[in-house]
Amino acid sequence: MDPEIGKCSMSRKKDSWKATLLLAYQSLGVVYGDLSISPLYVYKSTFADDITHSESNKEIYGVLSFVFWTLTLIPLFKYVFIVLRADDNGQGGTFALYSLICRHAKVSLLPNRQAADEELSTYRHECPPEANYKSRIKVLLEKHKNLHIALLIVVMLGTCMVIGDGVLTPAISVYSAVSGLQLSMSEHHEYVVVPITCFAILCLFVLQHYGTHRVGFLFAPIVLTWLLCISALGICNIIQWNPHIYKALSPYYMFKFLKETRKAGWMSLGGVLLCMTGSEAMFADLGHFSYTSIQIAFTSFVYPALILGYMGQAAYLSRHHKNDTSYHIGFYVSVPECVRWPVLVIAILVSIVGSQAIISGTFSIINQSQCLGCFPRVKVVHTSNKINGQIYIPEINWMLMVLCVAVAVGFRDTKHMGNASGLAVITVMLVTTCLTSLVIILRWHKSPLLALCFLFFFGSIEALYFSASLIKFLDGAWLPILLALFLMIVMFIWHYATIRKYEFDLHNKVSLDWLLALGNSLGIARVPGIGLVYSDLVSGVPANFSHFVTNLPAFHHILVFVCIKYIPVPFVPPAERYLVGRVGPPDHRSYRCIVRYGYRDVHQDMDSFESELIMSLAEFIRSEASYHGNQHSNVVDGQLTVIGSPLPRDYEFEGSIQQGSSSTQSVSERNVKELEPVDKVKKVRFHMDDTDCSKKDGPGRKELEELLTAREAGTAFILGHSHVHAKPGSSIMKKIAINFGYNFLKRNCRGPDVALRVPPASLLEVGMVYVL
């Protein structure tokens, strides 16, 4: 073996480990802020009402045992060793699991799915099953439409609870951190904690529009300092107060605790489950780091620090039984008075870091819901040009701020906030467990028995905590249920109306013959420029264009039917984003462009999008001319080209288009050809030379010249402006949902022109009446 090759290999491995360790360090500030702050309120919430801290120490030993095994089984075993492996091209979270399931079984309710989408490099199965592999679970899921809807409702429930956690986590984290003033101030502390909490929450949300990346470099050192702090305090308390506290780690004390405290002990588990608050962030933020880095950070640092912190608090409480009120069962009472103020400052900073992570996660999951047609359109601002996925949603930010302040002012105690936050957290974990069990069968192709064991083992633990949280309905747990119910109604109404609008467009689309018949003989003029007609249809001529031509008998010389669609993948590579084809013969100068995005893709600004779309048309024209020669004159509507694919490959569309209801419409099979692109720099003002086409005066060159001329004349964006009404004779529930619910949401959310960043001066809106 060449020694130089060996040295290079070792050097690469060393650099790889350095990068992994750096990512592990950075993940402390982004992923583990919420989980690390939980020692502030776990014991205080657990001993709030249901159980008391007696001289026998059976309660504190039992609670510590529950905390230890809960952290070990759920965050460590379930998330770090199992769930993190169920990534979607490196992405995690509820929608990542749902997209995996949709790709491995036909359960998606997205209406305009095409077989061409399955050829995306990020769509293909990482571990393709055997040719005859077909599990009974998969057949059952694909067969029953009600199961598709039930699966989407489960995903919506998890999404709503994540949004609810975005309201509750900042409130309980900041309030618990600031509550340390109760011990540090001799009097008037009750008039200080709530105002300071509200001020910190206001500052947190006001600074959101700057983006996480501007202060992100401070996050990891803050969390690292906090973890070192609670570890040191834990070790000191163990040595000073109870060196034998390690005995409480035995599961024997869990069963003894439940046996002796019975119902009160079971109800107190609603406070214990707060020790795993933030565990879902390990999976949700997987796309920003790597599996190995998150695993190293948790197993080698976060997990030991948390265990030491909880053991230290338990050791202190096991020797202090006087004045057993919730005031004295908390984190700060175990902190020596000489270091209480520095610890208080660090705790407030960490609570802000932890809150920042969940707020960013809320923005992200709402954006993903919007992409899948499950949430009203909102304005999404990308706060970083370098770090993908960092976004800011102004409307959601201010709503979260108002709700967080209302929670802090309304509850004013850790008990009610903990009950509310605990129910939201455990519901998200139950949803993750259910979806992961399906991934085990559909993606990993494991035995259904193994998936059932996973579901039963972790699901039973989480169901125990869920029942303990649900019983606290009147003591704060009603809040996440109310928020989730409201959000699910909003999401379901929006998704239902979106699907029905697509079906309406599909059944009312205009035939290609009608488009080709338009000409000077009918008084229809072709004006200079490019007209981009937006529609959700992937085939045919949309009805909004026929309305446009009927009222204004003219359309642009270059006509492009644009469909922006979302694929159940996190990202679509730029080289595979544009699917371009002709509508009619070449001399009609009409095209179709399907623009595909993943649920975590960053949308370009309109100038960049327009430039890329026009360059894609130019590449299509050049590629078609060089690939087909003179045969391209026979091209009709249906043949599409993926611009940017390196190798030619033929495949067909599905024989039917899947819709959001039980009805489907058969379409003819269409060949989709991927051609080798011409290597040109993408510019708005492209130039032509003799290499663009096979002949200097060939049709390809003439078509490019016309495209360039039209681009110079300007581009118009033609969008439909919808008015939606329920059909006469519809049920009262449907009329309320469509006539009042959907129309109210539509009037008060961003319009499609804002969501697509269309310049107002170039916008043409066509009124459309939808009777659903």
Side-chain angles (χ1 to χ4, degrees):
M1 176 180 177
D2 190 342
E4 293 296 328
I5 296 178
K7 290 180 181 179
C8 291
S9 177
M10 291 180 64
S11 176
R12 283 195 296 269
K13 289 181 179 179
K14 186 176 180 180
D15 292 340
S16 175
W17 273 106
K18 284 183 178 180
T20 301
L21 292 176
L22 180 61
L23 284 175
Y25 168 73
Q26 293 173 340
S27 70
L28 293 175
V30 177
V31 177
Y32 296 111
D34 192 11
L35 184 61
S36 300
I37 204 69
S38 58
L40 286 175
Y41 45 77
V42 168
Y43 284 123
K44 191 170 185 178
S45 299
T46 305
F47 288 95
D49 276 336
D50 304 308
I51 57 176
T52 56
H53 180 33
S54 63
E55 296 283 346
S56 64
N57 285 330
K58 62 182 180 182
E59 294 87 3
I60 193 64
Y61 273 54
V63 170
L64 176 59
S65 184
F66 263 105
V67 168
F68 171 76
W69 287 104
T70 300
L71 282 172
T72 302
L73 294 177
I74 303 299
L76 184 62
F77 286 171
K78 175 190 167 183
Y79 279 95
V80 172
F81 294 132
I82 300 177
V83 175
L84 286 182
R85 298 180 182 274
D87 66 291
D88 181 14
N89 292 282
Q91 301 298 314
T94 304
F95 275 97
L97 293 173
Y98 181 61
S99 69
L100 281 175
I101 295 170
C102 290
R103 297 212 302 274
H104 291 79
K106 296 179 181 179
V107 296
S108 174
L109 293 177
L110 289 175
N112 50 5
R113 184 168 57 89
Q114 300 168 281
D117 301 334
E118 300 180 10
E119 294 297 327
L120 288 169
S121 58
T122 52
Y123 196 107
R124 299 167 190 162
H125 301 169
E126 294 83 354
C127 302
E130 296 179 5
N132 297 325
Y133 178 81
K134 197 87 170 178
S135 71
R136 293 181 180 179
I137 302 295
K138 181 177 180 179
V139 173
L140 183 67
L141 282 174
E142 294 179 341
K143 183 178 179 181
H144 298 283
K145 187 65 175 292
N146 290 335
L147 293 180
H148 303 180
I149 299 174
L151 181 63
L152 181 63
I153 289 175
V154 170
V155 173
M156 284 184 179
L157 176 62
T159 301
C160 294
M161 285 299 182
V162 170
I163 298 172
D165 197 22
V167 173
L168 297 166
T169 293
I172 189 174
S173 297
V174 177
Y175 183 88
S176 299
V178 177
S179 64
L181 293 172
Q182 294 177 343
L183 291 178
S184 301
M185 297 179 64
S186 58
E187 56 183 12
H188 304 302
H189 55 77
E190 66 271 16
Y191 304 111
V192 175
V193 174
V194 173
I196 292 180
T197 300
C198 294
F199 177 76
I201 291 174
L202 290 174
C203 292
L204 176 65
F205 283 98
V206 167
L207 296 175
Q208 286 299 311
H209 70 279
Y210 290 109
T212 306
H213 66 286
R214 298 189 186 275
V215 291
F217 67 95
L218 292 175
F219 285 5
I222 291 173
V223 177
L224 179 63
T225 304
W226 170 254
L227 291 173
L228 290 173
C229 177
I230 63 174
S231 300
L233 290 172
I235 293 173
C236 291
N237 284 325
I238 291 171
I239 294 174
Q240 182 178 358
W241 300 111
N242 190 353
H244 300 287
I245 194 66
Y246 67 88
K247 293 180 180 179
L249 303 183
S250 170
Y252 163 77
Y253 288 94
M254 283 195 303
F255 298 107
K256 183 180 179 181
F257 171 76
L258 290 178
K259 182 180 179 180
E260 296 189 8
T261 58
R262 298 184 180 275
K263 183 181 179 181
W266 163 64
M267 294 177 66
S268 70
L269 296 180
V272 173
L273 73 86
L274 294 175
C275 71
M276 50 183 176
T277 301
S279 300
E280 187 72 21
M282 286 190 289
F283 186 45
D285 292 326
L286 182 61
H288 297 149
F289 302 96
S290 65
Y291 169 74
T292 307
S293 63
I294 292 179
Q295 187 181 47
I296 289 174
F298 184 79
T299 56
S300 63
F301 202 80
V302 178
Y303 176 75
L306 289 174
I307 297 300
L308 287 174
Y310 285 115
M311 288 178 66
Q313 288 188 65
Y316 177 89
L317 293 173
S318 68
R319 294 293 184 266
H320 295 79
H321 304 90
K322 295 180 180 179
N323 299 323
D324 294 311
T325 64
S326 60
Y327 178 89
H328 288 282
I329 305 222
F331 172 78
Y332 289 104
V333 73
S334 64
V335 178
E337 190 172 353
C338 60
V339 295
R340 192 168 289 163
W341 277 105
V343 171
L344 174 65
V345 173
I346 298 173
I348 294 175
L349 292 176
V350 174
S351 68
I352 293 174
V353 170
S355 302
Q356 174 64 56
I358 190 64
I359 293 169
S360 300
T362 303
F363 291 158
S364 178
I365 202 166
I366 288 177
N367 185 44
Q368 294 169 22
S369 303
Q370 177 185 237
C371 292
L372 295 179
C374 296
F375 201 87
R377 289 182 294 268
V378 291
K379 181 180 180 180
V380 179
V381 179
H382 296 275
T383 59
S384 175
N385 295 324
K386 298 180 180 179
I387 304 174
N388 190 24
Q390 290 194 0
I391 60 176
Y392 166 68
I393 304 177
E395 302 98 313
I396 303 301
N397 183 68
W398 304 126
M399 289 181 183
L400 289 178
M401 184 189 73
V402 171
L403 290 173
C404 280
V405 172
V407 168
V409 174
F411 284 154
R412 292 194 299 276
D413 67 79
T414 309
K415 170 191 169 183
H416 290 85
M417 294 183 195
N419 293 336
S421 179
L423 183 61
V425 168
I426 200 63
T427 304
V428 176
M429 290 185 173
L430 272 171
V431 169
T432 299
T433 299
C434 295
L435 296 179
T436 304
S437 62
L438 289 177
V439 170
I440 291 174
I441 299 173
L442 299 175
R443 184 197 180 190
W444 295 347
H445 313 302
K446 302 296 182 182
S447 168
L449 182 61
L450 182 63
L452 184 62
C453 291
F454 172 86
L455 179 63
F456 178 77
F457 181 76
F458 292 107
S460 59
I461 297 172
E462 291 162 355
L464 175 65
Y465 284 118
F466 179 79
S467 62
S469 292
L470 198 59
I471 202 68
K472 303 289 185 67
F473 179 83
L474 298 178
D475 293 327
W478 58 268
L479 181 58
I481 295 177
L482 184 64
L483 285 174
L485 181 62
F486 173 76
L487 289 170
M488 285 193 69
I489 291 174
V490 170
M491 294 175 72
F492 193 81
I493 289 175
W494 189 267
H495 181 74
Y496 174 78
T498 300
I499 295 297
R500 295 304 303 271
K501 283 177 62 180
Y502 175 81
E503 293 174 5
F504 185 91
D505 284 335
L506 187 66
H507 295 143
N508 290 275
K509 65 182 181 180
V510 183
S511 66
L512 179 62
D513 294 334
W514 176 87
L515 176 65
L516 299 179
L518 297 177
N520 295 329
S521 59
L522 298 178
I524 305 295
R526 301 292 291 266
V527 298
I530 299 175
L532 303 181
V533 182
Y534 283 82
S535 169
D536 291 331
L537 298 178
V538 295
S539 63
V541 179
N544 63 345
F545 179 71
S546 67
H547 286 207
F548 173 76
V549 175
T550 302
N551 291 277
L552 184 65
F555 58 94
H556 296 81
H557 183 70
I558 302 295
L559 188 65
V560 185
F561 296 99
V562 181
C563 172
I564 295 181
K565 61 182 295 187
Y566 294 92
I567 316 295
V569 295
F571 302 104
V572 173
E576 303 175 56
R577 188 175 309 283
Y578 294 92
L579 195 62
V580 185
R582 292 190 182 277
V583 179
D587 57 0
H588 198 269
R589 299 298 187 257
S590 297
Y591 308 89
R592 183 178 311 283
C593 183
I594 300 174
V595 188
R596 302 177 291 185
Y597 289 99
Y599 56 81
R600 291 186 67 91
D601 265 325
V602 176
H603 286 238
Q604 310 105 306
D605 59 82
M606 185 47 64
D607 291 337
S608 174
F609 172 76
E610 180 185 347
S611 301
E612 288 194 12
L613 190 147
I614 294 173
M615 286 307 305
S616 297
L617 290 176
E619 288 185 10
F620 167 74
I621 294 169
R622 285 193 292 258
S623 300
E624 187 188 58
S626 61
Y627 189 80
H628 291 287
N630 293 327
Q631 297 179 0
H632 81 294
S633 59
N634 298 324
V635 176
V636 296
D637 183 29
Q639 287 189 328
L640 300 172
T641 300
V642 177
I643 298 298
S645 182
L647 297 174
R649 181 170 64 253
D650 293 339
Y651 52 89
E652 296 177 344
F653 279 109
E654 291 182 345
S656 63
I657 297 179
Q658 183 175 340
Q659 302 178 30
S661 68
S662 57
S663 62
T664 57
Q665 176 173 338
S666 176
V667 295
S668 60
E669 292 183 347
R670 295 171 169 84
N671 295 326
V672 181
K673 299 182 179 179
E674 297 191 0
L675 305 176
E676 192 171 324
V678 178
D679 293 332
K680 301 286 287 184
V681 178
K682 289 191 175 183
K683 299 179 180 178
V684 177
R685 303 177 185 276
F686 54 87
H687 70 277
M688 298 174 294
D689 53 36
D690 293 345
T691 63
D692 280 334
C693 309
S694 56
K695 295 182 179 180
K696 185 173 182 179
D697 298 324
R701 181 180 179 86
K702 180 181 178 182
E703 195 170 355
L704 285 173
E705 289 175 346
E706 292 181 9
L707 179 62
L708 177 60
T709 302
R711 175 64 183 88
E712 296 294 335
T715 303
F717 300 84
I718 304 172
L719 276 71
H721 185 81
S722 60
H723 302 271
V724 184
H725 303 285
K727 288 181 180 178
S730 300
S731 64
I732 296 179
M733 290 296 294
K734 183 177 179 180
K735 288 181 178 179
I736 294 175
I738 298 296
N739 296 344
F740 297 99
Y742 178 77
N743 284 324
F744 174 81
L745 294 173
K746 182 177 175 294
R747 286 193 302 268
N748 291 277
C749 72
R750 302 279 181 170
D753 55 323
V754 178
L756 297 172
R757 300 182 176 89
V758 175
S762 304
L763 174 64
L764 291 173
E765 288 190 299
V766 182
M768 285 285 295
V769 177
Y770 289 83
V771 182
L772 306 181

